[in-house]
Amino acid sequence: LKVISTMSVGFDHLALDEIKKRGIRVGYTPDVLTDATAELSVALLLSACRRLPEAAEQVRSGGWTTWKPLWMCGYGLSDSTVGIIGLGRIGQAIARRLKPFGVKKFLYTGSGPKPEGAAEFGAEFVPLTRLAEESDFVVVSCALTPATQGMCNKDFFSRMKKTSVFVNTSRGAVVNQEDLYNALAQGQIAAAGLDVTTPEPLPTDHPLLSLKNC
């Protein structure tokens, strides 16, 4: 075996140590999904914060009745604080798309400050705990590494606002799913939009799939 090519940006599914040992070359596809992932992140964020799946279901099931001014209102992006975990290519592409919605402040965290990337959005580099506490929206777009595995856990969700929306388009294993389920079920956070899970696909009887706010 001389070459392994993967049609993905991530390569955490490859046994890199063994591959290097055998002198095998690896090809992957950075950049090809940057725009698509950024657009999907915004779509998930808007769907979750404006409760679109819930509202559509209510229309279908007859739950939409008389005028209720605050029914299904959700939360807006205007004057909000958005926290981005991983301000790489995709993180920046997400911020670029969210900025015109009137976001007041961008926070980000990662392995270190990225002043050049952050300058466009006036984004501030902060510790993970502060990002959780101050953000109205948290978007995860970091790589899966030993340092990021299970990073969004009980402690993280307990620091978030009750009105916060959590979006993950990175890797499922960055999130402790049991802790996320509990945070959503107990109203510790408002909603979540997930592109990635552990495992993929989720079993149809998985507890997360029983939640209206996920």
Side-chain angles (χ1 to χ4, degrees), residues 94-115:
I94 293 166
R96 203 166 288 126
R97 284 159 173 76
L98 289 177
K99 196 177 177 184
F101 282 91
V103 173
K104 188 177 183 180
K105 190 177 185 184
F106 285 99
L107 304 175
Y108 75 101
T109 194
S111 53
K114 295 193 170 177

Side-chain angles (χ1 to χ4, degrees), residues 12-120:
D12 48 273
H13 55 301
L14 301 179
L16 289 182
D17 291 343
E18 186 64 25
I19 288 166
K20 280 177 188 169
K21 207 187 293 177
R22 292 167 182 258
I24 298 166
R25 304 299 297 269
V26 171
Y28 70 124
T29 55
D31 266 346
V32 71
L33 288 175
T34 299
D35 288 339
T37 307
E39 287 171 15
L40 181 63
S41 301
V42 175
L44 284 168
L45 191 153
L46 290 172
S47 293
C49 78
R50 288 302 185 181
R51 305 177 67 178
L52 299 187
E54 286 179 80
E57 181 51 42
Q58 287 296 305
V59 174
R60 289 191 178 90
S61 64
W64 181 17
T65 54
T66 186
W67 187 63
K68 294 173 273 192
L70 299 179
W71 188 59
M72 289 285 166
C73 270
Y75 305 97
L77 275 158
S78 294
D79 289 328
S80 68
T81 297
V82 173
I84 298 177
I85 299 176
L87 197 70
R89 274 190 304 264
I90 292 173
Q92 289 174 44
I94 293 166
R96 203 166 288 126
R97 284 159 173 76
L98 289 177
K99 196 177 177 184
F101 282 91
V103 173
K104 188 177 183 180
K105 190 177 185 184
F106 285 99
L107 304 175
Y108 75 101
T109 194
S111 53
K114 295 193 170 177
E116 286 175 18
E120 183 182 341

